[in-house]
Amino acid sequence: MLTAGQVLQLIRDRTCRTRKELIEVTGLSRSTVTDRVDRLIEAGYIHESGVATSRGGRPPSVLDIDATSRLALVADLGASHARVALTDLAARPMAEEHIEMRIARGPEAVLTWVRQAFRRLLDRTGRPAGQVCGIGLNLPGSVDHASGRMIRSFLMPGWDDHPISEALRAEFEVPVLVENDANAMALGEWWSSWRGCASLVLVKVSTGIGTGIVLDGRVYRGVEEAAGNLGHVRLSESDDRVCTCGSRGCVASLASGHAIATDLGRDTSRDVVRLVHSGDPAAIARVQEGGRTLGVVLATAVSLLNPGVLVLAGDMAETGEHYLTGIRESVYRRSLPYTTRNLDIVTSSLGDRAGIVGTAVIVMEHVLSPRAVDAALAARSGAVT
């Protein structure tokens, strides 16, 4: 017998839009469906949003998710920026705040700002903290999802094994979900533009290189939470440039925004973007070379995963077609034609908001999962009793 949480999933994915459809699809009795639906309405998970076409008799009420009764607080943290947002449970931002801040300042300073910014967002929108049902945070490194701690990051000294979830849960007593930034961005792009695509690969090229993989609507993380670590694939054992991981000849040491900036005598990947926008020929040539270098590794990913879309995100996505052109050259030249026949190679549609949207989707999927919904309804029933 389906639980209320499982009934909610049928409504979420639009398999069933009315009580009558729920009875027909699930085989549950009318009284059981009524009980499940009434509990979900009373708890604010769904509401009636109009009527469906009648097939005789009174038109049935349409059931839909009530995305505004519960809220999520999410943070997108990069090597040199921090962005926070208050969203509803359709991953729609209601308020945002952004600041230039280096994550190398350490977890205490950065997470203190995040907590304060979360409070400012609630105050600005006039929404009570009690409506927040989950918090999400993404970071440029590998994370342990069970503990909410950073496993490893070459860009974040002092963050390894820091209790990130505990630091945020101390002020907001809700689930805290921690994710890798490229994974969150990949999910955000899939959710906003490519939900009809079974396989999506996103590569973020900014200070470093990170890759997110979405298969059948779910982030693929790998056994050791290290899937998508393309930036540290070694292409040249003899290259003198040392990567942030300590090895030589990694893709990131050759094709990342930091590597390109260093070769051009600049400090950051943002400097590279400005040079390209000004038409600097040396910068344009070096950016295209970086794209070709990364494309060598991405060609293998395309052959392995056969994705429907390959998304370029991060600072290098802002160089127009230049970095992307380099990627396309290598991918098309090194991959079998039938693996690229239906492949879209594009820049991010969300830009610097992909991480926020993807992290909000992660929170949404967690708090609206059958297990979480059934647990919340049980706790609610016990409180009422």
mmCIF file of all heavy atoms in Angstrom, residues 4 35 38-40 42-43 45 70 372-385:
data_model
loop_
_atom_site.group_PDB
_atom_site.id
_atom_site.type_symbol
_atom_site.label_atom_id
_atom_site.label_comp_id
_atom_site.label_asym_id
_atom_site.label_seq_id
_atom_site.Cartn_x
_atom_site.Cartn_y
_atom_site.Cartn_z
ATOM 1 N N ALA A 4 1.715 8.154 2.011
ATOM 2 C CA ALA A 4 1.422 9.524 1.577
ATOM 3 C C ALA A 4 2.601 10.119 0.824
ATOM 4 O O ALA A 4 2.427 10.857 -0.156
ATOM 5 C CB ALA A 4 1.066 10.382 2.788
ATOM 6 N N ASP A 35 -7.639 10.031 2.526
ATOM 7 C CA ASP A 35 -6.813 10.205 3.728
ATOM 8 C C ASP A 35 -5.424 10.717 3.373
ATOM 9 O O ASP A 35 -4.926 11.673 3.998
ATOM 10 C CB ASP A 35 -6.700 8.869 4.469
ATOM 11 C CG ASP A 35 -5.687 8.933 5.605
ATOM 12 O OD1 ASP A 35 -5.963 9.589 6.625
ATOM 13 O OD2 ASP A 35 -4.589 8.337 5.442
ATOM 14 N N ASP A 38 -5.654 14.379 1.979
ATOM 15 C CA ASP A 38 -6.016 15.349 3.019
ATOM 16 C C ASP A 38 -4.829 15.636 3.938
ATOM 17 O O ASP A 38 -4.595 16.787 4.335
ATOM 18 C CB ASP A 38 -7.205 14.832 3.846
ATOM 19 C CG ASP A 38 -8.521 14.914 3.082
ATOM 20 O OD1 ASP A 38 -8.532 15.555 2.006
ATOM 21 O OD2 ASP A 38 -9.513 14.333 3.553
ATOM 22 N N ARG A 39 -4.074 14.592 4.275
ATOM 23 C CA ARG A 39 -2.901 14.791 5.137
ATOM 24 C C ARG A 39 -1.846 15.648 4.441
ATOM 25 O O ARG A 39 -1.212 16.504 5.067
ATOM 26 C CB ARG A 39 -2.316 13.449 5.546
ATOM 27 C CG ARG A 39 -3.189 12.645 6.501
ATOM 28 C CD ARG A 39 -2.637 11.256 6.697
ATOM 29 N NE ARG A 39 -1.335 11.287 7.368
ATOM 30 C CZ ARG A 39 -0.464 10.287 7.328
ATOM 31 N NH1 ARG A 39 -0.726 9.211 6.609
ATOM 32 N NH2 ARG A 39 0.680 10.379 7.980
ATOM 33 N N LEU A 40 -1.663 15.428 3.163
ATOM 34 C CA LEU A 40 -0.682 16.215 2.411
ATOM 35 C C LEU A 40 -1.118 17.673 2.279
ATOM 36 O O LEU A 40 -0.300 18.590 2.343
ATOM 37 C CB LEU A 40 -0.474 15.599 1.018
ATOM 38 C CG LEU A 40 0.247 14.248 0.990
ATOM 39 C CD1 LEU A 40 0.173 13.638 -0.408
ATOM 40 C CD2 LEU A 40 1.712 14.397 1.414
ATOM 41 N N GLU A 42 -3.175 19.288 4.447
ATOM 42 C CA GLU A 42 -3.098 19.890 5.778
ATOM 43 C C GLU A 42 -1.665 20.239 6.164
ATOM 44 O O GLU A 42 -1.420 21.236 6.860
ATOM 45 C CB GLU A 42 -3.697 18.931 6.819
ATOM 46 C CG GLU A 42 -5.205 18.764 6.705
ATOM 47 C CD GLU A 42 -5.715 17.624 7.567
ATOM 48 O OE1 GLU A 42 -4.893 17.032 8.320
ATOM 49 O OE2 GLU A 42 -6.910 17.307 7.482
ATOM 50 N N ALA A 43 -0.708 19.434 5.705
ATOM 51 C CA ALA A 43 0.696 19.691 6.032
ATOM 52 C C ALA A 43 1.340 20.695 5.078
ATOM 53 O O ALA A 43 2.514 21.053 5.265
ATOM 54 C CB ALA A 43 1.475 18.377 5.996
ATOM 55 N N TYR A 45 1.932 20.335 1.778
ATOM 56 C CA TYR A 45 2.725 19.782 0.676
ATOM 57 C C TYR A 45 2.055 20.005 -0.679
ATOM 58 O O TYR A 45 2.728 20.206 -1.693
ATOM 59 C CB TYR A 45 2.984 18.291 0.879
ATOM 60 C CG TYR A 45 4.024 17.992 1.922
ATOM 61 C CD1 TYR A 45 3.664 17.519 3.183
ATOM 62 C CD2 TYR A 45 5.379 18.184 1.664
ATOM 63 C CE1 TYR A 45 4.624 17.241 4.152
ATOM 64 C CE2 TYR A 45 6.348 17.914 2.622
ATOM 65 C CZ TYR A 45 5.957 17.444 3.862
ATOM 66 O OH TYR A 45 6.904 17.182 4.824
ATOM 67 N N ARG A 70 7.028 25.959 2.021
ATOM 68 C CA ARG A 70 8.309 25.617 2.630
ATOM 69 C C ARG A 70 9.423 26.269 1.829
ATOM 70 O O ARG A 70 9.314 26.440 0.613
ATOM 71 C CB ARG A 70 8.513 24.094 2.667
ATOM 72 C CG ARG A 70 7.637 23.388 3.667
ATOM 73 C CD ARG A 70 7.753 21.874 3.510
ATOM 74 N NE ARG A 70 7.070 21.173 4.594
ATOM 75 C CZ ARG A 70 5.764 20.991 4.649
ATOM 76 N NH1 ARG A 70 4.991 21.466 3.678
ATOM 77 N NH2 ARG A 70 5.214 20.341 5.671
ATOM 78 N N ALA A 372 11.309 11.327 3.603
ATOM 79 C CA ALA A 372 11.283 12.566 4.388
ATOM 80 C C ALA A 372 9.848 13.032 4.628
ATOM 81 O O ALA A 372 9.506 13.485 5.732
ATOM 82 C CB ALA A 372 12.081 13.650 3.671
ATOM 83 N N VAL A 373 9.009 12.912 3.629
ATOM 84 C CA VAL A 373 7.615 13.346 3.776
ATOM 85 C C VAL A 373 6.885 12.472 4.790
ATOM 86 O O VAL A 373 6.171 12.978 5.670
ATOM 87 C CB VAL A 373 6.900 13.318 2.408
ATOM 88 C CG1 VAL A 373 5.396 13.535 2.585
ATOM 89 C CG2 VAL A 373 7.484 14.383 1.490
ATOM 90 N N ASP A 374 7.056 11.171 4.680
ATOM 91 C CA ASP A 374 6.377 10.274 5.630
ATOM 92 C C ASP A 374 6.857 10.498 7.058
ATOM 93 O O ASP A 374 6.069 10.451 8.005
ATOM 94 C CB ASP A 374 6.599 8.818 5.214
ATOM 95 C CG ASP A 374 5.843 8.447 3.946
ATOM 96 O OD1 ASP A 374 4.809 9.084 3.677
ATOM 97 O OD2 ASP A 374 6.287 7.532 3.233
ATOM 98 N N ALA A 375 8.156 10.766 7.223
ATOM 99 C CA ALA A 375 8.684 11.041 8.565
ATOM 100 C C ALA A 375 8.104 12.340 9.111
ATOM 101 O O ALA A 375 7.747 12.423 10.296
ATOM 102 C CB ALA A 375 10.207 11.116 8.520
ATOM 103 N N ALA A 376 8.016 13.362 8.250
ATOM 104 C CA ALA A 376 7.466 14.640 8.699
ATOM 105 C C ALA A 376 5.990 14.511 9.056
ATOM 106 O O ALA A 376 5.522 15.100 10.049
ATOM 107 C CB ALA A 376 7.657 15.689 7.604
ATOM 108 N N LEU A 377 5.247 13.743 8.279
ATOM 109 C CA LEU A 377 3.824 13.556 8.570
ATOM 110 C C LEU A 377 3.634 12.768 9.861
ATOM 111 O O LEU A 377 2.718 13.055 10.650
ATOM 112 C CB LEU A 377 3.142 12.839 7.407
ATOM 113 C CG LEU A 377 2.994 13.638 6.108
ATOM 114 C CD1 LEU A 377 2.382 12.767 5.019
ATOM 115 C CD2 LEU A 377 2.148 14.886 6.324
ATOM 116 N N ALA A 378 4.498 11.784 10.095
ATOM 117 C CA ALA A 378 4.424 11.012 11.346
ATOM 118 C C ALA A 378 4.704 11.884 12.543
ATOM 119 O O ALA A 378 4.033 11.791 13.576
ATOM 120 C CB ALA A 378 5.393 9.824 11.277
ATOM 121 N N ALA A 379 5.728 12.736 12.409
ATOM 122 C CA ALA A 379 6.067 13.655 13.518
ATOM 123 C C ALA A 379 4.930 14.633 13.744
ATOM 124 O O ALA A 379 4.597 14.968 14.907
ATOM 125 C CB ALA A 379 7.352 14.407 13.189
ATOM 126 N N ARG A 380 4.313 15.095 12.677
ATOM 127 C CA ARG A 380 3.202 16.039 12.778
ATOM 128 C C ARG A 380 2.017 15.375 13.470
ATOM 129 O O ARG A 380 1.383 15.958 14.342
ATOM 130 C CB ARG A 380 2.806 16.507 11.376
ATOM 131 C CG ARG A 380 1.628 17.455 11.316
ATOM 132 C CD ARG A 380 1.281 17.749 9.866
ATOM 133 N NE ARG A 380 0.071 18.539 9.749
ATOM 134 C CZ ARG A 380 0.032 19.846 9.791
ATOM 135 N NH1 ARG A 380 1.144 20.536 9.927
ATOM 136 N NH2 ARG A 380 -1.122 20.504 9.678
ATOM 137 N N SER A 381 1.754 14.127 13.090
ATOM 138 C CA SER A 381 0.637 13.384 13.693
ATOM 139 C C SER A 381 0.882 13.154 15.180
ATOM 140 O O SER A 381 -0.011 13.303 16.002
ATOM 141 C CB SER A 381 0.459 12.045 12.989
ATOM 142 O OG SER A 381 -0.554 11.294 13.597
ATOM 143 N N GLY A 382 2.139 12.837 15.528
ATOM 144 C CA GLY A 382 2.471 12.626 16.919
ATOM 145 C C GLY A 382 2.361 13.892 17.733
ATOM 146 O O GLY A 382 1.902 13.876 18.884
ATOM 147 N N ALA A 383 2.720 15.028 17.108
ATOM 148 C CA ALA A 383 2.625 16.312 17.808
ATOM 149 C C ALA A 383 1.184 16.688 18.064
ATOM 150 O O ALA A 383 0.818 17.195 19.128
ATOM 151 C CB ALA A 383 3.332 17.398 16.993
ATOM 152 N N VAL A 384 0.322 16.394 17.068
ATOM 153 C CA VAL A 384 -1.101 16.709 17.208
ATOM 154 C C VAL A 384 -1.736 15.829 18.280
ATOM 155 O O VAL A 384 -2.541 16.263 19.086
ATOM 156 C CB VAL A 384 -1.827 16.527 15.862
ATOM 157 C CG1 VAL A 384 -3.337 16.631 16.058
ATOM 158 C CG2 VAL A 384 -1.353 17.549 14.856
ATOM 159 N N THR A 385 -1.329 14.537 18.254
ATOM 160 C CA THR A 385 -1.862 13.620 19.253
ATOM 161 C C THR A 385 -1.459 14.030 20.663
ATOM 162 O O THR A 385 -2.241 14.047 21.573
ATOM 163 C CB THR A 385 -1.332 12.197 18.980
ATOM 164 O OG1 THR A 385 -1.744 11.804 17.661
ATOM 165 C CG2 THR A 385 -1.899 11.216 19.992
#
